[in-house]
């Protein structure tokens, strides 16, 4: 259904489309410029070359169309976080769930993690459903400081072998 692949510099225009419109409503609220997209890709490529590796970022493709981005970050030697964003015209098709399943596998095998955490804005329950379908359980809330004040984000976790 979807495939993941490393980002490439020529993905910048597609990344600006992903980070725009309704997709960013619960993130920064600001569209990504082409220059910012190039910077994001260069940063991801540099992090892919680090040893030990602390971050993995993949483009989410449906057929040959880059429709999203998903990342895995090592926060401690055994715990990581997962985050994702999809272009708004690709919502509701199970793409984020399929991508999340693939990243969970990488986290518990290649990355050697035993716990994953993720959070989502309380006004974005669809993201919580993706996390549950990927095997996570809601464990509470975590305050995030935003430009408009503190927001209690929904917090999810998944243990290796759970």
């Amino acid at each position: 259904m979807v495939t993941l692949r490393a980002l490439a510099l020529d993905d910048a225009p597609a990344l600006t489309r992903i980070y725009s419109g309704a997709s960013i409503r619960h993130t920064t609220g600001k569209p990504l410029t082409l220059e910012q997209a190039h910077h994001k890709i260069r940063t991801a490529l540099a992090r892919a070359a680090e040893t030990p590796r602390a971050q993995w970022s993949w483009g989410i493709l449906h057929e040959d169309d880059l429709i999203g981005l998903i990342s895995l970050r090592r926060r401690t030697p055994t715990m990581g976080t997962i985050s994702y964003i999809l272009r708004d015209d690709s919502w509701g098709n199970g793409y984020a769930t399929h991508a999340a399943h693939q990243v969970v596998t990488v986290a518990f095998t290649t990355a050697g993690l035993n716990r994953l955490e993720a959070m989502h804005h309380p006004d974005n329950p669809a993201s919580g459903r993706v996390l549950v379908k990927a095997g996570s359980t809601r464990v509470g809330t975590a305050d995030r400081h935003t430009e408009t004040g503190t927001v209690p984000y929904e917090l999810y976790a998944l243990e290796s072998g759970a």
Side-chain angles (χ1 to χ4, degrees):
M1 183 167 233
V2 297
T3 57
L4 304 183
R5 69 158 170 77
L7 294 172
L9 287 175
D10 60 356
D11 288 331
L15 215 54
T16 62
R17 173 68 179 96
I18 293 163
Y19 282 86
S20 67
S23 293
I24 58 170
R25 182 181 321 132
H26 301 300
T27 62
T28 63
K30 299 175 186 168
L32 199 66
T33 66
L34 191 58
E35 181 180 325
Q36 290 168 327
H38 278 109
H39 178 74
K40 186 178 236 4
I41 293 167
R42 283 192 300 273
T43 299
L45 294 173
R47 288 183 174 157
E50 293 176 347
T51 303
R53 193 161 179 181
Q55 182 170 331
W56 295 256
S57 296
W58 299 274
I60 302 171
L61 281 82
H62 176 252
E63 297 172 357
D64 287 329
D65 189 16
L66 184 66
I67 60 166
L69 178 69
I70 189 164
S71 297
L72 170 66
R73 291 173 183 83
R74 183 184 308 275
R75 300 298 186 183
T76 72
T78 60
M79 192 277 285
T81 58
I82 185 173
S83 61
Y84 49 87
I85 186 170
L86 285 182
R87 199 174 64 208
D88 58 1
D89 65 347
S90 64
W91 292 351
N93 294 295
Y95 303 145
T97 300
H98 284 277
H101 275 289
Q102 293 177 56
V103 172
V104 166
T105 299
V106 170
F108 293 148
T109 57
T110 306
L113 301 174
N114 62 25
R115 181 180 172 90
L116 278 179
E117 293 182 356
M119 62 174 102
H120 72 85
H121 192 282
D123 293 338
N124 186 9
S127 193
R129 290 189 294 275
V130 166
L131 295 170
V132 168
K133 289 176 186 175
S136 295
T137 302
R138 184 183 178 282
V139 294
T141 60
D143 287 343
R144 296 235 6 223
H145 302 288
T146 68
E147 291 179 4
T148 58
T150 301
V151 177
Y153 272 58
E154 302 293 319
L155 180 62
Y156 291 75
L158 173 61
E159 303 279 336
S160 175

